[in-house]
Amino acid sequence: MTHGVIGTGSMGRILVEAWIRSGKLQPSELLLSNRTRAKAERLADEFPGLRVAADNREVARKSDCFFLCVKPGEFRKVLEEIRDVVREEQIVVSITSPVMVRDLEEWLPAKVAKVIPSITNAVCSGNSLFIPGSRLNREDREQLWDLFSAISRPLLVDEEHTRIASDLACCGPAFLANLMEQMADAAVEETDLPREAAVSLVTRMAQGLGRLLTEGNFTLKSLQERVAVPGGITREGLHLLERDTGTLFHDLFRLTHDKYHEDINKVQQSLFPEMEKKV
Ligand SMILES: NC(=O)c1ccc[n+]([C@@H]2O[C@H](COP(=O)([O-])OP(=O)(O)OC[C@H]3O[C@@H](n4cnc5c(N)ncnc54)[C@H](OP(=O)(O)O)[C@@H]3O)[C@@H](O)[C@H]2O)c1
């Protein structure tokens, strides 16, 4: 079975590497294309047997299932290029949240799904978000679920929740890394602790925290309660955090959703320029 990847940038590469390193796919089962061909060739050089196609049309023609790993603004160009070689029995997966499944179904005769990966999938961890289209049968769903189970924990998500789920699973690592960096920087500024030590402390702490929450029988709540003994320093710190973070995350999610709706409109105008806004 051939799995195609159109677009071997950051996410396309992560998927290819994770599937091969996890042993889920052999390099010879993957066929790649990328606008800048040299980028796909560099990836292929790392895994003997991995093939680079002449163009996107070859990937679309020769794959049983292929992934569109380009940015939303590139979709129309790619869809125009591959449209007339895509077949009904193929599975086509978009990894991009603002491209609607029903719009892809209008463009392509194939079985369409959206699966949004996360950078955490690079270490076969974290979630992927699974949004199947209307043409996938049970076997198709199981096949995709199985593929993503090798590198992540897939989560079935309604398309209307794609943005918020992506905020948590896909943007979340960057958001938390930013907060951790601010934590380390403040520690250095307040106490002259060497920066290297501060970064190591927050990084190793996060690694342990992840394991406690996933393997250590802790919930977010029970973990806070366990560390914050009554009258202790942590409890006072948690009070300050609750007071000062205020509406921060509400504001953050409103911002991501505003941008998401703008992106959806832009994508729909590019895919259906003749139509009024569809959402
Ligand atoms: N980054 C994340 O954590 C994340 C998580 C989930 C989903 N996503 C989604 O994944 C998508 C890709 O993101 P990314 O971070 O991988 O972006 P990226 O690093 O910019 O990769 C996009 C790739 O698409 C290639 N490309 C552009 N137009 C093409 C065309 N016409 N034909 C073939 N290849 C083409 C680009 O080629 P060139 O080498 O020529 O530039 C580039 O390698 C985005 O829509 C994003 O929303 C990202």
Side-chain angles (χ1 to χ4, degrees), residues 151-170:
I151 61 168
S152 66
R153 180 173 290 209
L155 184 75
L156 188 64
V157 176
D158 285 339
E159 194 164 34
E160 63 179 298
H161 291 139
T162 312
R163 183 63 264 152
I164 190 63
S166 301
D167 287 348
L168 299 173
C170 312

Side-chain angles (χ1 to χ4, degrees), residues 114-268:
K114 203 149 79 170
V115 183
I116 315 290
S118 159
I119 193 167
T120 54
N121 302 167
V123 288
C124 295
S125 189
N127 286 113
S128 54
L129 312 176
F130 188 67
I131 303 123
S134 62
R135 297 181 192 142
L136 267 74
N137 61 31
R138 197 166 136 198
E139 208 177 300
D140 303 323
R141 284 170 180 241
E142 282 172 4
Q143 183 192 321
L144 270 184
W145 192 270
D146 182 55
L147 193 59
F148 277 90
S149 294
I151 61 168
S152 66
R153 180 173 290 209
L155 184 75
L156 188 64
V157 176
D158 285 339
E159 194 164 34
E160 63 179 298
H161 291 139
T162 312
R163 183 63 264 152
I164 190 63
S166 301
D167 287 348
L168 299 173
C170 312
C171 306
F175 294 152
L176 288 193
N178 179 278
L179 290 176
M180 286 164 59
E181 191 174 36
Q182 290 190 48
M183 207 172 170
D185 286 345
V188 172
E189 283 162 25
E190 291 290 325
T191 68
D192 281 341
L193 177 72
R195 190 161 198 284
E196 206 184 334
V199 170
S200 169
L201 287 164
V202 292
T203 305
R204 294 286 161 190
M205 175 275 292
Q207 184 187 25
L209 172 63
R211 291 190 60 191
L212 285 171
L213 292 170
T214 52
E215 306 162 26
N217 282 328
F218 277 99
T219 64
L220 293 171
K221 195 51 117 191
S222 71
L223 191 129
Q224 292 176 65
E225 280 163 3
R226 180 73 175 267
V227 181
V229 293
I233 288 177
T234 311
R235 180 148 298 194
E236 291 197 18
L238 286 176
H239 286 319
L240 182 138
L241 273 180
E242 272 159 21
R243 192 192 66 208
D244 284 9
T245 46
T247 62
L248 175 68
F249 287 105
H250 294 268
D251 296 342
L252 181 66
F253 296 141
R254 283 183 195 136
L255 178 144
T256 59
H257 282 73
D258 286 349
K259 166 91 173 73
Y260 180 55
H261 292 302
E262 264 175 42
D263 288 348
I264 290 177
N265 286 334
K266 270 194 216 153
V267 170
Q268 293 201 322

Side-chain angles (χ1 to χ4, degrees), residues 100 103 264-272 278-279:
M100 297 291 113
D103 292 342
I264 290 177
N265 286 334
K266 270 194 216 153
V267 170
Q268 293 201 322
Q269 277 161 24
S270 96
L271 294 184
F272 306 100
K278 294 177 81 191
V279 287

Side-chain angles (χ1 to χ4, degrees), residues 9-11 34-36 39 56 70-72 74 78 95-96 117:
S10 172
M11 285 321 287
N34 191 67
R35 183 176 54 194
T36 307
K39 198 190 269 181
N56 297 334
V70 301
K71 289 185 177 155
E74 304 293 345
V78 173
I95 67 158
T96 302

